[in-house]
Amino acid sequence: MPLKTPEEYVESLRALQIRAYVGGERVDSIVDSPLIAPHINTVAKTYELAHRPEHRDVMTAESHLTGERIHRYTHIFQSADDLVKKIQMLRLLGQVTGTCFQRCVGLDALNAAYAISYEVDQAEGTDYHQRFKTYLELVQREDLMLAGAMTDPKGHRGKRPSEQADPDAFVRVVERRPDGVVIRGAKLHNTGGINSHEVLVLPGTGLIPGEEDYAIACAVPADADGVLFVFGRQSNDSRKLEGGCDIGNPRFGVVGGEAMVVFEDVFVPTERIFLNGEVGHVGTLVHYFATWHRANYGGCKGGNADVLIGATAKMTKVLGTDRNAVVKDKLVEMIHMNETTYASAIGASAMGYALPCGSFMVEPMMANTVKQNITRNVYQIGRLSHDLAGGFLATMPDEKAFENPEIGDLVRKYHTANPDYDVDERIRLGRYIENMTSVTTMVEAMHGAGSPQAQRIVMLGQAAIDEKIAMADEVINGTDDVPGLPLPGKAAARSA
Ligand code: SF4
């Protein structure tokens, strides 16, 4: 059965010759880097849970290509139920890891490439779709983790790709050969990029005629010649090197371990190219990817918030405030916001519809509304967590103060709240809350899957304002009523 174990995932990463830079230094083995290991451990949970019988239904699916049981992270959405199960999987994984588990970008990129390769073939007479299906079989058979690489550096934001002073500001084809293409450029913010097997490169913005070199979708092995990764910093990441209570998230990462991936004239063979110059289809490709990914946030952030709410509720016990009615009400407010976004994600999925290729798309208005709410609710939930946990989140001493024989007893004595709980517990909870409401976490909620304005543009387009105006006109001025009722206004009109 094509389901990797967590151990096989780690060993498969070890076998790759990934060129990675962490903290400005080249690392020989990403698996042995203490800054990357928590992110690898997070992804390992996605592999582990697929083997548990109680999670089989949400963590695995039947391949529409082979009929085999595969990981849901390599599946093409075949129904609205598949979309709902995906959101359920994300909430589950969010609850288990309390952070971003990274594989969803690759999954949505996989689905976007599947759908668009079909549509391009239909319109242009190309043969991308069969090529992509062959690649998809490999991904499913090997249970690969894909990094979906969408976001270009973009350079000057007021200029198009073809207008940039540096033409490499967007990934582009720099050479066409009989057996493939050579690409150059970089993609930023790649969630899980550094610990993926493959990079699925897609254009990140709509293109126009004349920009054919930027219309490239292809799959590149993470250790291909010319590929390198630069790991991003996260709030408090170097605390992971210190040990003790101060780490916050000792087992799992804070968000997704984002990395910059650079393509230094990377050769991509023809069989790994799924779009090459068809600029007219790129807008749809970006729309498909973004819409699926925006709905996700109601699932993964829902699970993350479950953990944060749990940590905050436990903190109120440690502080001795848990029986206070105002405290309980603030916890309810956190729950309310969390369940609202989850419900929208489930709704967007339940109302999914078939694309021309037969795979399923979430309902776009709801999907964008999910992400728009996330850009607010994650901040609001974090604000309430800060409110309930107290100011010591920002002022607590580091663990070394507790261990210092001169001052340790004093620090411990004056940081003990409810004596039923050890002060270490207060610190551990505080550090976790600190990390999960940090700048890195908040910014990811704000800009991941597109910045807030990107969702608002889609929402306005989907809102059919003219139809709403017509609805208002009909309700206010309509005449289609049951005869004989003394309706105000109408009665006067009749008697006049
Ligand atoms: Fe998945 Fe959420 Fe992370 Fe995106 S932010 S990769 S949807 S867990």
Side-chain angles (χ1 to χ4, degrees):
M1 189 167 58
L3 291 173
K4 267 188 174 42
T5 64
E7 294 78 14
E8 287 169 342
Y9 163 61
V10 173
E11 287 314 307
S12 63
L13 286 182
R14 203 184 282 284
L16 295 176
Q17 305 295 314
I18 294 175
R19 187 176 162 200
Y21 294 81
V22 181
E25 306 273 331
R26 174 101 184 241
V27 295
D28 293 331
S29 163
I30 57 161
V31 173
D32 297 316
S33 164
L35 290 177
I36 301 177
H39 301 285
I40 294 175
N41 194 40
T42 309
V43 174
K45 283 287 170 198
T46 70
Y47 286 100
E48 180 193 327
L49 265 56
H51 290 272
R52 294 214 202 144
E54 68 271 31
H55 298 314
R56 180 179 189 271
D57 198 34
V58 293
M59 294 299 303
T60 68
E62 185 182 302
S63 168
H64 74 295
L65 296 181
T66 65
E68 284 205 80
R69 206 75 201 162
I70 56 168
H71 204 293
R72 191 168 292 283
Y73 267 125
T74 66
H75 185 48
I76 300 300
F77 316 126
Q78 296 297 301
S79 64
D81 186 54
D82 264 350
L83 296 169
V84 169
K85 289 216 171 79
K86 175 196 184 192
I87 299 298
Q88 292 174 312
M89 172 177 76
L90 302 192
R91 186 149 190 186
L92 170 67
L93 287 165
Q95 291 169 339
V96 169
T97 64
T99 188
C100 165
F101 26 88
Q102 308 159 40
R103 289 181 76 181
C104 329
V105 189
L107 170 64
D108 295 333
L110 204 62
N111 273 271
Y114 181 88
I116 210 68
S117 59
Y118 177 88
E119 292 179 31
V120 175
D121 283 2
Q122 295 300 305
E124 316 289 346
T126 46
D127 63 350
Y128 294 125
H129 194 58
Q130 185 52 48
R131 203 185 283 175
F132 186 79
K133 286 203 284 191
T134 303
Y135 176 70
L136 178 63
E137 272 193 56
L138 167 79
V139 171
Q140 295 185 340
R141 190 170 61 245
E142 300 290 325
D143 197 2
L144 297 178
M145 173 171 172
L146 305 183
M150 300 284 296
T151 309
D152 299 277
K154 297 196 195 95
H156 189 311
R157 288 349 188 226
K159 294 184 185 293
R160 299 200 50 78
S162 53
E163 298 169 343
Q164 296 290 330
D166 182 349
D168 300 340
F170 291 75
V171 167
R172 65 189 179 115
V173 174
V174 292
E175 186 184 345
R176 289 192 159 78
R177 298 180 187 169
D179 55 346
V181 299
V182 176
I183 62 170
R184 184 188 301 161
K187 295 283 188 179
L188 305 184
H189 323 313
N190 289 278
T191 301
I194 210 160
N195 45 293
S196 293
H197 303 106
E198 295 261 329
V199 184
L200 189 49
V201 182
L202 302 181
T205 190
L207 299 170
I208 58 175
E211 295 179 331
E212 284 75 11
D213 287 345
Y214 296 95
I216 181 72
C218 58
V220 179
D223 62 349
D225 279 351
V227 175
L228 70 92
F229 295 89
V230 182
F231 197 52
R233 288 216 78 173
Q234 302 189 332
S235 302
N236 305 330
D237 53 4
S238 53
R239 287 187 192 167
K240 288 193 161 51
L241 306 174
E242 297 175 12
C245 293
D246 284 328
I247 296 174
N249 304 40
R251 302 171 61 207
F252 306 113
V254 174
V255 305
E258 279 71 15
M260 173 170 82
V261 55
V262 181
F263 305 96
E264 289 188 308
D265 291 0
V266 175
F267 174 70
V268 185
T270 301
E271 63 269 21
R272 283 174 163 264
I273 297 171
F274 314 121
L275 182 90
N276 187 4
E278 293 80 5
V279 289
H281 299 271
V282 171
T284 304
L285 171 62
V286 175
H287 167 70
Y288 283 170
F289 170 82
T291 309
W292 275 312
H293 205 62
R294 286 172 190 166
N296 290 357
Y297 277 57
C300 70
K301 302 301 179 202
N304 292 174
D306 286 330
V307 181
L308 183 63
I309 291 167
T312 308
K314 179 115 185 246
M315 181 68 93
T316 67
K317 292 179 184 293
V318 171
L319 296 174
T321 58
D322 56 308
R323 298 172 72 85
N324 183 299
V326 173
V327 167
K328 287 181 187 169
D329 195 55
K330 288 179 179 177
L331 286 172
V332 170
E333 185 62 19
M334 295 167 83
I335 293 163
H336 171 222
M337 283 186 278
N338 197 32
E339 297 303 331
T340 301
T341 44
Y342 181 63
S344 304
I346 292 289
S349 305
M351 297 199 50
Y353 60 91
L355 294 173
C357 68
S359 71
F360 269 65
M361 170 53 64
V362 290
E363 200 283 316
M365 174 64 100
M366 283 194 211
N368 279 276
T369 304
V370 169
K371 178 66 213 319
Q372 182 73 190
N373 277 331
I374 286 292
T375 67
R376 299 173 179 172
N377 290 5
V378 168
Y379 283 75
Q380 288 297 334
I381 290 171
R383 175 181 172 275
L384 288 164
S385 180
H386 289 178
D387 181 356
L388 294 177
F392 105 115
L393 285 181
T395 64
M396 63 184 133
D398 60 29
E399 199 196 15
K400 291 188 177 67
F402 290 84
E403 291 169 351
N404 185 318
E406 283 178 47
I407 57 170
D409 287 348
L410 288 172
V411 177
R412 192 166 290 277
K413 173 182 165 80
Y414 292 115
H415 281 88
T416 297
N418 179 349
D420 291 345
Y421 293 89
D422 192 276
V423 71
D424 284 357
E425 184 129 39
R426 185 179 180 193
I427 294 168
R428 257 192 286 271
L429 285 167
R431 292 299 184 204
Y432 180 79
I433 293 171
E434 182 188 6
N435 279 357
M436 297 316 293
T437 55
S438 69
V439 171
T440 303
T441 312
M442 296 305 196
V443 171
E444 199 284 325
M446 177 69 77
H447 291 289
S451 305
Q453 201 57 31
Q455 292 114 53
R456 298 177 82 83
I457 291 167
V458 179
M459 289 164 72
L460 184 62
Q462 292 281 319
I465 293 287
D466 286 344
E467 286 179 27
K468 293 187 189 333
I469 290 172
M471 290 172 201
D473 282 345
E474 177 59 27
V475 168
I476 296 164
N477 304 316
T479 56
D480 182 19
D481 301 308
V482 179
L485 290 176
L487 297 173
K490 285 200 170 178
R494 274 189 215 108
S495 62

